[in-house]
């Protein structure tokens, strides 16, 4: 019997606390800390379902103030800190919209400021002086832009002036399939309603004009144009320009190896698997006639400079995988399993906060980021 003695009550309190700690430890140890549980426990940064529905008309999201507090990862003995400053040079028909959506989601999650054109969320232009035309936040507490994920012509000096100490990356695909994708996406196949292979007819006409001395359209070497690489027939000269660009870019992703590319991006940026999850955007589902060897030869003639561009960075891509710090295949398999599980979850939870945000296209995500910044600062 304690008889209400202070010392006795103190001992009872200690015993109670010990029991409570034991119960908490037992419960927590019985729940595996995997990515699925992370996603269900750490959605505080996500907008609610109501705010997502309201955003359909106002394109506005309200936050509850919670933010994901990432734990520092260790790699090769160094502290790996998540990179919040980055520039993604988006290219057309290369899976860039999917990647941009992913990047805007990361920006939204971490309260980052996107450099965006005030009138167009897809493209960033330059003025007569070569400066980027961006939405300005005239707020007393605005400090800087954190990232860029739009169509924009590569201009390192102008970009460095806007986003300091940024990681730079872009994405490419084979110029052969790239030209075909652009052809169907732009609706040029409608000019050949009776052709069994519209793209083949298009190339045949184009090549006939090429043989007669007609100038091939400059956008057929769009990678070189986008990055300011001179189109040189001299291999040594062009390789020198490509080497310079290679030194300036931290990573060039390849659309044909999308998941592999994202694993490289994850390590470069010190991000988590959750940060690189994606839902494919603007996927053309109509079955199209195959590309014949002759068509490949013709395309390679039209886009020979982009072919060199792609082949150069295809080599650097596999070199980065060979020199990956860690078990690349294990990471890739883990990511693919997480992605598959997430897709299954979203098929069953189409109205969930997480899946709504995951499936939002790049333009909508850009507006979310822009409006959230404006509201946060009361500009």
């Amino acid at each position: 019997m304690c008889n209400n003695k202070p010392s006795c009550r103190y001992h009872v309190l200690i015993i109670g606390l010990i029991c409570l700690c034991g119960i908490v430890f037992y419960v927590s140890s019985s729940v595996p800390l995997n990515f699925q549980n992370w996603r269900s426990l750490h959605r505080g940064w996500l907008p609610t379902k109501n705010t997502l529905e309201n955003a359909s008309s106002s394109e506005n999201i309200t936050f509850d103030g919670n933010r994901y507090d990432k734990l520092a990862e260790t790699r090769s003995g160094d502290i790996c800190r998540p990179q919040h400053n980055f520039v993604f040079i988006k290219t057309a028909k290369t899976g860039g919209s999917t990647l941009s959506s992913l990047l805007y989601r990361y920006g939204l999650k971490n309260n980052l400021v996107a450099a965006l054109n005030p009138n167009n969320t897809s493209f960033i232009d330059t003025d007569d002086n070569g400066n980027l035309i961006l939405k300005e936040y005239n707020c007393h507490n605005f400090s800087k832009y954190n990232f860029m994920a739009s169509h924009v012509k590569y201009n390192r000096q102008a970009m460095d002036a806007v986003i300091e100490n940024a990681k730079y990356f872009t994405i490419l695909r084979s110029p052969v399939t790239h030209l075909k994708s652009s052809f169907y996406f732009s609706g040029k196949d409608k000019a050949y309603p009776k052709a069994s292979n519209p793209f083949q007819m298009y190339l045949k006409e184009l090549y006939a004009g090429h043989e007669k001395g007609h100038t091939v359209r400059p956008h057929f070497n769009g990678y070189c144009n986008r990055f300011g690489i001179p189109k040189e027939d001299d291999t040594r000269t062009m390789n020198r320009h490509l080497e310079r660009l290679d030194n300036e870019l931290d990573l060039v992703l390849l659309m044909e190896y999308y998941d592999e590319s994202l694993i490289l991006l994850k390590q470069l940026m010190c991000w988590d698997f959750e940060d690189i999850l994606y839902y494919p955007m603007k996927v053309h589902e109509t079955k199209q006639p195959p590309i014949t060897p002759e068509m490949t030869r013709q395309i390679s003639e039209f886009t020979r400079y982009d072919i060199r561009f792609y082949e150069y960075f295809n080599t650097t891509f596999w070199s980065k995988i060979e020199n990956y710090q860690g078990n690349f295949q294990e990471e890739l398999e883990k990511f693919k399993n997480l992605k598959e599980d997430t897709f299954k979850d979203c098929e069953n939870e189409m109205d969930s906060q997480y899946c709504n945000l995951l499936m939002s296209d790049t333009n909508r995500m850009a507006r979310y980021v822009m409006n959230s910044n404006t509201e946060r600062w009361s500009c």
Side-chain angles (χ1 to χ4, degrees):
M1 297 294 291
C2 285
N3 296 324
N4 290 325
K5 293 181 180 181
S7 60
C8 185
R9 290 198 301 271
Y10 176 77
H11 286 113
V12 170
L13 178 61
I14 293 298
I15 293 172
L17 288 173
I18 292 173
C19 293
L20 179 61
C21 290
I23 293 172
V24 170
F25 175 79
Y26 173 79
V27 172
S28 61
S29 63
S30 66
V31 180
L33 293 177
N34 54 29
F35 291 104
Q36 292 293 100
N37 290 326
W38 184 97
R39 199 159 61 249
S40 64
L41 291 172
H42 295 271
R43 293 188 184 179
W45 60 274
L46 292 170
T48 64
K49 178 181 176 183
N50 289 335
T51 56
L52 274 171
E53 290 173 348
N54 293 335
S56 299
S57 56
S58 64
E59 298 302 339
N60 183 28
I61 288 184
T62 303
F63 291 89
D64 62 6
N66 287 331
R67 290 185 58 187
Y68 163 48
D69 184 17
K70 176 186 281 294
L71 297 176
E73 297 176 4
T74 302
R75 187 172 68 225
S76 300
D78 298 326
I79 296 299
C80 179
R81 292 184 174 84
Q83 296 289 330
H84 284 176
N85 286 15
F86 54 90
V87 174
F88 170 54
I89 298 94
K90 187 179 177 184
T91 49
K93 304 311 299 171
T94 58
S97 293
T98 298
L99 185 52
S100 288
S101 177
L102 177 159
L103 296 173
Y104 284 122
R105 192 174 75 243
Y106 183 85
L108 190 67
K109 169 182 174 181
N110 291 282
N111 288 334
L112 304 184
V113 185
L116 287 163
N117 185 316
N119 302 313
N120 191 322
T121 57
S122 297
F123 295 86
I124 293 178
D125 299 317
T126 54
D127 59 22
D128 295 337
N129 297 319
N131 300 314
L132 301 177
I133 301 174
L134 302 173
K135 175 177 174 58
E136 296 181 3
Y137 297 94
N138 298 315
C139 316
H140 69 279
N141 56 346
F142 173 73
S143 55
K144 62 180 181 178
Y145 299 98
N146 296 110
F147 74 99
M148 185 184 307
S150 302
H151 285 290
V152 59
K153 191 166 184 177
Y154 182 67
N155 182 336
R156 188 55 179 258
Q157 185 176 359
M159 291 171 173
D160 281 345
V162 171
I163 303 176
E164 300 176 354
N165 303 316
K167 295 293 185 183
Y168 282 76
F169 51 94
T170 189
I171 186 168
L172 308 175
R173 73 185 291 182
S174 167
V176 176
T177 59
H178 184 251
L179 186 58
K180 178 184 178 183
S181 178
S182 298
F183 172 80
Y184 282 102
F185 181 77
S186 61
K188 292 180 181 177
D189 56 309
K190 293 179 175 61
Y192 309 91
K194 297 182 180 180
S196 59
N197 192 336
F199 186 51
Q200 186 178 41
M201 290 296 297
Y202 170 72
L203 289 175
K204 185 177 180 180
E205 291 178 1
L206 196 66
Y207 200 77
H210 174 65
E211 289 183 320
K212 293 178 181 178
H214 297 170
T215 302
V216 176
R217 296 176 180 85
H219 67 263
F220 283 176
N221 289 286
Y223 297 151
C224 290
N225 294 328
R226 179 63 58 97
F227 289 91
I229 299 295
K231 295 180 277 294
E232 299 279 355
D233 285 319
D234 179 63
T235 302
R236 182 178 297 179
T237 302
M238 186 164 184
N239 280 346
R240 187 171 66 249
H241 289 293
L242 291 172
E243 288 170 3
R244 171 187 57 79
L245 183 62
D246 186 21
N247 288 329
E248 294 179 2
L249 297 177
D250 295 285
L251 178 63
V252 175
L253 298 82
L254 300 181
M255 196 198 82
E256 293 87 350
Y257 301 96
Y258 213 85
D259 288 354
E260 289 85 349
S261 295
L262 290 177
I263 294 299
L264 291 178
L265 182 66
K266 169 183 171 291
Q267 184 167 95
L268 171 69
M269 305 300 288
C270 192
W271 289 355
D272 191 72
F273 283 102
E274 187 81 13
D275 299 324
I276 61 171
L277 274 176
Y278 66 92
Y279 189 83
M281 304 290 174
K282 296 184 179 179
V283 177
H284 201 296
E285 298 181 353
T286 304
K287 189 174 182 179
Q288 301 162 351
I291 297 176
T292 66
E294 176 61 16
M295 293 166 68
T296 300
R297 185 190 69 80
Q298 293 172 341
I299 296 171
S300 298
E301 178 64 26
F302 299 144
T303 64
R304 64 183 182 275
Y305 303 112
D306 269 9
I307 291 285
R308 292 183 192 175
F309 193 108
Y310 178 82
E311 288 177 346
Y312 181 94
F313 286 104
N314 181 65
T315 300
T316 65
F317 177 83
W318 293 108
S319 177
K320 289 181 185 297
I321 289 181
E322 289 177 4
N323 295 301
Y324 186 80
Q325 298 179 31
N327 190 323
F328 184 85
Q329 290 302 324
E330 184 178 301
E331 294 264 292
L332 180 62
E333 189 65 25
K334 186 182 294 185
F335 176 56
K336 287 184 175 181
N337 290 336
L338 171 63
K339 189 176 65 170
E340 183 179 351
D341 290 343
T342 302
F343 286 175
K344 288 179 180 178
D345 287 347
C346 286
E347 287 178 359
N348 298 324
E349 304 175 34
M350 291 298 291
D351 293 331
S352 73
Q353 301 170 11
Y354 186 84
C355 297
N356 267 296
L357 203 60
L358 185 69
M359 296 179 184
S360 293
D361 64 31
T362 181
N363 289 330
R364 192 179 188 193
M365 291 301 303
R367 287 192 291 270
Y368 287 163
V369 173
M370 182 184 290
N371 290 336
S372 67
N373 290 154
T374 302
E375 284 214 344
R376 177 156 51 95
W377 294 321
S378 299
C379 299

